[in-house]
Amino acid sequence: MHTELCDRFGIQYPIFVFTPSEKVAAAVSRAGGMGVLGCVRFNDPDDLEAVLQWMDQNTDGKPYGVDVVMPAKVPTEGTAVDIDKLVPQTHRDFVAKTLADLGVPPLPDDAARSQGTLGWLHSIARSHVEVALRHPIKLIANALGSPPKDVIDEAHAAGVPVAALAGSAKHAQRHADNGVDIVIAQGHEAGGHTGEIGSMVLWPEIVDAVSDRAAVLAAGGIGTGRQVAAALALGAQGVWMGSAFLTAEEYDLGVRSGEGPSVIQQALLGATSADTVRRRIYSGKPARLLKSRWTDAWDAEGAPEPLPMPLQNVLVSEAHQRMSASADPTTVAMPVGQIVGRMNEIRPVADIIAELVSGFEAATRKLDTIRDS
Amino acid sequence: MHTELCDRFGIQYPIFVFTPSEKVAAAVSRAGGMGVLGCVRFNDPDDLEAVLQWMDQNTDGKPYGVDVVMPAKVPTEGTAVDIDKLVPQTHRDFVAKTLADLGVPPLPDDAARSQGTLGWLHSIARSHVEVALRHPIKLIANALGSPPKDVIDEAHAAGVPVAALAGSAKHAQRHADNGVDIVIAQGHEAGGHTGEIGSMVLWPEIVDAVSDRAAVLAAGGIGTGRQVAAALALGAQGVWMGSAFLTAEEYDLGVRSGEGPSVIQQALLGATSADTVRRRIYSGKPARLLKSRWTDAWDAEGAPEPLPMPLQNVLVSEAHQRMSASADPTTVAMPVGQIVGRMNEIRPVADIIAELVSGFEAATRKLDTIRDS
């Protein structure tokens, strides 16, 4: 499975994996793909620095990248305290009552309370870029589309290509105009921020719109080698995956109640492809999440409209912390794509990658038979 | 492009095309695919009889099928007058005011007013099956899933396989349990009735769930040969298309203002993949439609909730007639999938089929290179 991106990045397979876990990211890179570490959870740049040092020591010199969350337009932002004041009390009351109704325990008094995931703030995302560029990263991806022009220039000056997510051909063209090197065409099926247009329609549309200027990675609905074959048949030069690696054996985030999978992994293992919802409740922009008693509460009559980004994340951040710290798989706030229906066992990263490659080969041989018979 | 379905149906390509136009259906069959004529518009069985006689004379002995709209459970139904009484006056008032606001002219006094598209009623759909089975049809497809058991048995007794649309693996399994021969896996991208799960995830899920018992056709988002390759890579044995043939040169339904494409075709040619909405306003069940001033009106504040099937279609049927009879491409009620973004020119059916075949071949050769290099 070899495309132009393999030569460009020095990787064996054109498989790019976004993950918040450095253990998973490193394992992907070691297995011949490109691990891309999500930075949004690092409120303190020093924590990111420490994790990237770990990455440098654990990737056997294989390439890896980072993923930041940075809007193209710099929003007005103040201190965390100022932003806090913009969250209406009625919304706070709804969240407090919902958590009580769902039986989610408060944080222990001594737990570090984050005041929102500050990674959503522009200044913090910039610090992520600064820290990352001190390491031998091979890619900076931005979950919110084009980063600001000066960030793209800074990455290019350091010889690092920039990738940006797009949910429409129009967005993709704008990214290419801004100098983005790789467009990640993210279909409706995807976990996290996602648009209305399904992968089957979106991917070839974006390929046709920008492939003379930017490489295209297919995202949204990929978990098996057959889907990799479909993505490459539709003209993508590689795939961008996330959800399917949340049930990797190496995925070490989240609470574990005893041996075996973590609480969040238990929730994922039991879900079908129909058990996701696409809502603004996670960040203020539409994002696909695992359906849970938490998402149900926001769908119930009388629930408030979610706030705009970044206020919604400030509103729900402590709720996310509380749910993450509890051991109840029915009450989670977890971005995941519809491919969750196929995430039915815990597997090592190397096994997942091996199936992607062998499944791709089997699918293409079957197509040959259909074509040649 | 040869799969087991080609031998089973005596067709050259495993390309099944649903269309309300007999001109298009016959052209598809003549071009080596399987034309499947939509019957729901025929309120009078004699009209269907006449059209099928035309099909018999214009398909050069090539196989064709029919598509009916029949719920598995026989609903309570009375005369059209009884059903009419169940439609609330507030809903009628909303429709009347909306049409006036949009400037849609009334029907001429002498126009035949249909009292709803009666094809949605079970008794009418049964008459469609009866009429069709007097012709050499090779397939009966049902847009609403499994038909009732006795209809399946009747078709099988006549040697005619039965196909049913499914939007989830659970539905697909139920269809196979009921004796359905071919499951049409219809992803979120599709026009008309469609579920939440995107094609990229849904197709392989349904393939894995039923392919030991039923063949699977992929539907939702297919308009080019690359997408056919993706569908077959994902394990489908063929494709089911609809939208992409609405802009066929042979498509002769709808008002034409002078030379060139019809009003509805003009609306389709100008739309992007973002210009559809999935709403209950067409039939009472979620269906993807071209975004228009009509769909906008139902999205506006103060618009009523759509009625359940079949009442919603009874409510809006005359409105559909009035919009169809007018020459305004901005005011239409037209089911179409997200592939509409690629429907940018009027082409003969034979050209569309030829691209599907050549595009499939090109995509598979590209995959070979990616695999073997």
Side-chain angles (χ1 to χ4, degrees):
Chain A
M1 196 199 302
H2 188 96
T3 71
E4 180 267 332
L5 289 180
C6 297
D7 301 325
R8 187 155 158 200
F9 285 99
I11 51 182
Q12 195 174 358
Y13 310 118
I15 298 171
F16 293 67
V17 176
F18 162 80
T19 173
S21 157
E22 66 270 21
K23 304 280 165 49
V24 173
V28 168
S29 290
R30 289 196 309 268
M34 169 79 94
V36 182
L37 181 71
C39 295
V40 77
R41 71 184 168 95
F42 299 102
N43 283 347
D44 183 340
D46 290 345
D47 293 344
L48 176 60
E49 173 61 33
V51 165
L52 293 184
Q53 285 182 14
W54 183 92
M55 287 289 289
D56 294 338
Q57 288 154 12
N58 288 277
T59 39
D60 298 352
K62 301 284 177 68
Y64 72 89
V66 297
D67 181 276
V68 297
V69 178
M70 186 182 274
K73 284 189 213 144
V74 181
T76 319
E77 64 180 60
T79 65
V81 174
D82 291 338
I83 287 177
D84 238 33
K85 284 186 190 153
L86 299 173
V87 175
Q89 188 58 40
T90 48
H91 279 74
R92 294 190 191 279
D93 293 345
F94 171 78
V95 169
K97 181 172 186 315
T98 299
L99 292 174
D101 291 351
L102 297 177
V104 179
L107 293 174
D109 277 351
D110 56 351
R113 264 181 191 73
S114 93
Q115 290 177 292
T117 299
L118 299 176
W120 297 110
L121 299 183
H122 202 74
S123 50
I124 306 285
R126 277 188 179 261
S127 77
H128 294 154
V129 172
E130 267 170 47
V131 169
L133 285 176
R134 293 201 293 262
H135 293 263
I137 58 165
K138 298 297 180 211
L139 182 70
I140 294 178
N142 184 22
L144 293 183
S146 296
K149 184 79 175 75
D150 69 293
V151 173
I152 297 176
D153 291 344
E154 195 186 350
H156 285 173
V160 176
V162 174
L165 263 76
S168 73
K170 202 167 67 180
H171 292 160
Q173 277 162 333
R174 201 184 309 148
H175 298 342
D177 291 346
N178 291 341
V180 162
D181 308 279
I182 297 183
V183 172
I184 302 164
Q186 170 127 312
H188 182 73
E189 293 90 331
H193 295 125
T194 182
E196 296 277 2
I197 305 169
S199 291
M200 189 57 52
V201 170
L202 182 71
W203 296 346
E205 215 165 58
I206 289 187
V207 166
D208 291 355
V210 302
S211 64
D212 56 334
R213 297 183 286 161
V216 176
L217 297 178
I222 300 177
T224 69
R226 282 181 280 178
Q227 285 147 336
V228 175
L232 301 182
L234 292 166
Q237 288 176 296
V239 297
W240 174 269
M241 299 172 64
S243 301
F245 288 83
L246 294 172
T247 45
E249 198 171 282
E250 291 88 342
Y251 189 82
D252 59 340
L253 303 179
V255 168
R256 229 160 270 263
S257 54
E259 289 298 299
S262 67
V263 170
I264 197 72
Q265 286 178 324
Q266 290 170 34
L268 296 169
L269 291 169
T272 74
S273 59
D275 294 328
T276 71
V277 292
R278 183 174 163 271
R279 299 286 186 273
R280 295 203 302 110
I281 64 173
Y282 192 79
S283 70
K285 288 180 185 284
R288 188 175 298 286
L289 306 173
L290 188 66
K291 192 176 181 308
S292 73
R293 293 197 301 144
W294 169 252
T295 66
D296 290 347
W298 283 89
D299 282 346
E301 215 177 309
E305 278 296 299
L307 302 172
M309 181 180 278
L311 294 184
Q312 179 68 15
N313 193 260
V314 172
L315 170 67
V316 296
S317 178
E318 190 183 318
H320 288 176
Q321 269 192 290
R322 283 172 59 178
M323 289 187 282
S324 294
S326 87
D328 180 356
T330 71
T331 309
V332 295
M334 186 67 189
V336 73
Q338 292 181 336
I339 197 67
V340 70
R342 201 169 276 277
M343 290 155 52
N344 301 320
E345 55 173 334
I346 302 293
R347 289 183 295 167
V349 164
D351 288 8
I352 300 174
I353 300 269
E355 191 290 325
L356 294 172
V357 175
S358 65
F360 165 80
E361 294 193 355
T364 58
R365 294 204 191 280
K366 190 176 162 193
L367 287 176
D368 288 350
T369 308
I370 292 171
R371 182 190 63 212
D372 299 333
S373 66
Chain B
M1 198 199 302
H2 188 96
T3 71
E4 180 267 335
L5 289 180
C6 296
D7 302 326
R8 185 155 160 204
F9 286 100
I11 52 182
Q12 194 174 356
Y13 309 118
I15 298 170
F16 293 67
V17 176
F18 161 79
T19 172
S21 156
E22 65 270 21
K23 304 281 164 49
V24 173
V28 167
S29 290
R30 290 196 307 268
M34 170 78 95
V36 182
L37 181 71
C39 295
V40 77
R41 72 184 168 95
F42 298 103
N43 284 347
D44 183 340
D46 289 346
D47 293 343
L48 176 60
E49 172 61 31
V51 165
L52 293 184
Q53 285 182 14
W54 183 91
M55 287 289 290
D56 294 337
Q57 289 154 13
N58 289 277
T59 39
D60 299 351
K62 301 286 177 66
Y64 72 89
V66 296
D67 181 277
V68 297
V69 178
M70 185 181 274
K73 284 189 215 147
V74 180
T76 320
E77 64 180 61
T79 65
V81 174
D82 291 337
I83 287 177
D84 239 31
K85 284 185 190 153
L86 299 174
V87 175
Q89 188 59 40
T90 48
H91 279 75
R92 293 191 192 280
D93 293 345
F94 170 78
V95 168
K97 180 171 185 317
T98 299
L99 292 174
D101 290 350
L102 297 177
V104 179
L107 293 174
D109 278 352
D110 56 352
R113 265 184 189 70
S114 92
Q115 291 178 291
T117 299
L118 298 176
W120 297 109
L121 298 183
H122 201 74
S123 51
I124 305 284
R126 277 188 178 263
S127 78
H128 294 154
V129 172
E130 268 171 46
V131 169
L133 286 175
R134 294 200 296 262
H135 293 264
I137 57 163
K138 298 296 179 215
L139 182 70
I140 294 178
N142 185 22
L144 293 183
S146 296
K149 183 78 176 79
D150 70 293
V151 172
I152 296 176
D153 291 344
E154 196 186 351
H156 286 173
V160 176
V162 174
L165 263 75
S168 73
K170 202 166 69 179
H171 291 160
Q173 277 162 331
R174 201 185 308 147
H175 298 341
D177 292 345
N178 291 340
V180 162
D181 307 280
I182 296 182
V183 172
I184 302 163
Q186 170 128 315
H188 182 72
E189 293 91 329
H193 294 126
T194 183
E196 295 277 3
I197 306 169
S199 292
M200 188 58 49
V201 170
L202 182 71
W203 296 345
E205 214 165 59
I206 289 187
V207 165
D208 291 354
V210 303
S211 64
D212 56 334
R213 298 183 288 161
V216 176
L217 297 178
I222 301 177
T224 69
R226 280 182 281 178
Q227 285 147 337
V228 175
L232 301 180
L234 292 167
Q237 290 175 297
V239 297
W240 174 269
M241 298 172 64
S243 301
F245 288 84
L246 294 172
T247 44
E249 197 172 283
E250 292 88 342
Y251 190 82
D252 60 341
L253 302 178
V255 168
R256 228 160 271 264
S257 55
E259 289 299 299
S262 66
V263 171
I264 196 73
Q265 286 178 323
Q266 290 170 33
L268 297 169
L269 291 170
T272 75
S273 59
D275 293 328
T276 72
V277 292
R278 183 173 165 270
R279 299 286 186 273
R280 296 204 301 109
I281 64 173
Y282 192 78
S283 70
K285 287 179 186 281
R288 188 175 299 285
L289 307 173
L290 188 66
K291 190 174 182 311
S292 72
R293 292 197 300 145
W294 168 251
T295 67
D296 289 346
W298 283 88
D299 283 345
E301 213 177 311
E305 277 296 298
L307 302 172
M309 184 181 275
L311 295 184
Q312 179 69 13
N313 194 261
V314 172
L315 169 67
V316 296
S317 179
E318 191 182 319
H320 289 176
Q321 271 191 290
R322 284 172 59 177
M323 288 187 282
S324 294
S326 86
D328 181 357
T330 70
T331 310
V332 297
M334 187 68 189
V336 74
Q338 292 181 336
I339 197 67
V340 69
R342 203 169 274 277
M343 292 156 51
N344 301 322
E345 56 173 334
I346 303 293
R347 289 182 296 166
V349 164
D351 288 8
I352 300 174
I353 301 269
E355 190 288 325
L356 293 173
V357 174
S358 65
F360 165 81
E361 295 195 354
T364 59
R365 295 205 190 279
K366 189 176 163 192
L367 287 176
D368 288 350
T369 307
I370 292 172
R371 183 189 63 212
D372 300 332
S373 65

